[in-house]
Amino acid sequence: MNFDRITFELDKLEGKPTIRGLRITVETVVRLVAGGWTFDEILSDYPDLEREDIKQALEYAAASTNVHFYRLREPA
């Protein structure tokens, strides 16, 4: 997946992933959605964001938690 709206700048917000170089982190967006905010509420309070930014922040968060578990041996 191409995350062209997610940026990293070591000198900005400790290098956390942000939206298009803005001082709005992916974490902030994900926490707002998790807190029950609608896309329209987020866009109203953060006018620099676009609907696609929110979608991509959620996709990035999902992709970054893609963890695989491997069973080392079968139970006896």
Side-chain angles (χ1 to χ4, degrees):
M1 172 155 281
N2 180 20
F3 297 109
D4 58 341
R5 293 173 174 263
I6 309 300
T7 55
F8 302 88
E9 298 176 50
L10 294 178
D11 60 337
K12 187 183 285 184
L13 299 174
E14 301 175 355
K16 291 182 179 181
T18 60
I19 308 298
R20 293 183 290 113
L22 302 170
R23 291 189 174 274
I24 304 170
T25 63
V26 168
E27 177 185 3
T28 297
V29 173
V30 171
R31 287 183 182 276
L32 291 172
V33 173
W37 288 45
T38 66
F39 280 28
D40 289 335
E41 290 171 326
I42 295 169
L43 295 171
S44 176
D45 277 18
Y46 295 87
D48 291 332
L49 288 179
E50 300 170 0
R51 189 168 296 277
E52 189 60 34
D53 295 328
I54 300 170
K55 290 179 186 176
Q56 199 167 108
L58 294 171
E59 291 168 354
Y60 177 83
S64 68
T65 61
N66 187 12
V67 179
H68 298 280
F69 294 93
Y70 299 97
R71 182 167 285 174
L72 298 177
R73 60 185 166 136
E74 292 296 318

